[in-house]
Amino acid sequence: MTLLTEIPHQALFFPPTMLWRISVERYHEMIRSGALTEEDNLELVEGYLVKKMTINPPHAMVTAVLFRLFVTLMPNGYFAGSQQPVTTSDSETEPDVLVIRGAAHDFFSRHPYASEVPLLVEVSDRTLQNDQTQKKRIYARAEIPVYWIVNIPERQLEVYSDPSGPTINPSYRHLHTYSVSEQVPVQVDDNIVGLISVADLFPPE
């Protein structure tokens, strides 16, 4: 008998019609019941349970630096979070850094909804292609106003804005890419609350 663990990874292909999708509500029920725990290391992505990537040192370092910078810039009525779930219509991803409207204790019994998140960030190394496609699609569909990707391999920061909303092919209409010689405006709703130097996110070459 062949065990599942002995089957080559590339052989484990199933057509989309054979994959089981679940709703956000069912996902929450599974967490409340204990069927899913933090040890499972999963997140809900467009209705599918997906294993989260292991965090590499560059990813951890950039996330920590960016979160600290965001904390210092937040105006009254907003706070910064890190790797905190955001609930959308079909997903519950955990962006690396995000801005949340309200006070932290408002979210004692639930995660923030997309409508309460004016800006979020994915720090990308091995996940770059996925963050530029699937994650971008999720956040554009949910109408997150501003989406940042810290592109570690290319040492730059991509700022996506003007989401399409729930169209056939959700995306952002505008992209501005910032190099290590530039500063990025931090837009929270309609206000620019500060500037972040891209160079501060990376060690000197």
Side-chain angles (χ1 to χ4, degrees):
M1 180 176 68
T2 302
L3 298 177
L4 182 61
T5 53
E6 297 173 349
I7 300 174
H9 175 72
Q10 57 267 33
L12 296 177
F13 171 78
F14 298 95
T17 54
M18 294 181 63
L19 298 177
W20 182 38
R21 300 187 71 180
I22 63 173
S23 66
V24 172
E25 292 75 18
R26 182 65 181 275
Y27 178 62
H28 289 169
E29 289 174 4
M30 294 172 73
I31 293 172
R32 285 193 295 268
S33 70
L36 289 178
T37 69
E38 291 184 358
E39 294 180 357
D40 293 308
N41 200 33
L42 299 171
E43 62 182 347
L44 185 67
V45 178
E46 295 187 309
Y48 299 106
L49 293 176
V50 178
K51 188 172 180 63
K52 291 182 282 187
M53 294 287 286
T54 302
I55 295 176
N56 290 329
H59 182 285
M61 183 278 294
V62 172
T63 299
V65 170
L66 189 59
F67 174 65
R68 186 174 70 246
L69 292 171
F70 268 40
V71 168
T72 65
L73 294 176
M74 288 304 100
N76 291 334
Y78 300 85
F79 68 99
S82 182
Q83 297 174 337
Q84 180 172 343
V86 174
T87 303
T88 71
S89 61
D90 63 356
S91 304
E92 195 161 273
T93 60
E94 299 178 16
D96 293 302
V97 183
L98 64 160
V99 175
I100 303 168
R101 192 182 306 110
H105 62 252
D106 295 336
F107 302 95
F108 184 80
S109 59
R110 67 172 177 85
H111 298 306
Y113 301 124
S115 60
E116 298 166 304
V117 177
L119 187 158
L120 55 71
V121 186
E122 295 289 358
V123 176
S124 304
D125 44 12
R126 291 179 300 166
T127 62
L128 180 60
Q129 182 178 10
N130 186 62
D131 292 336
Q132 291 175 329
T133 54
Q134 186 175 45
K135 289 290 181 69
K136 185 180 72 171
R137 182 170 66 242
I138 291 168
Y139 299 144
R141 181 187 297 119
E143 298 183 270
I144 303 288
V146 181
Y147 171 40
W148 287 15
I149 296 177
V150 181
N151 184 329
I152 292 177
E154 299 181 60
R155 293 173 63 89
Q156 63 188 25
L157 199 153
E158 302 165 10
V159 176
Y160 298 85
S161 60
D162 194 10
S164 65
T167 59
I168 295 176
N169 296 302
S171 189
Y172 285 86
R173 299 181 181 92
H174 298 142
L175 165 62
H176 193 127
T177 301
Y178 295 84
S179 69
V180 290
S181 64
E182 296 179 288
Q183 292 184 314
V184 184
V186 181
Q187 182 174 339
V188 176
D189 286 328
D190 295 326
N191 301 311
I192 303 299
V193 299
L195 298 171
I196 288 178
S197 295
V198 178
D200 290 342
L201 304 179
F202 301 102
E205 287 188 304

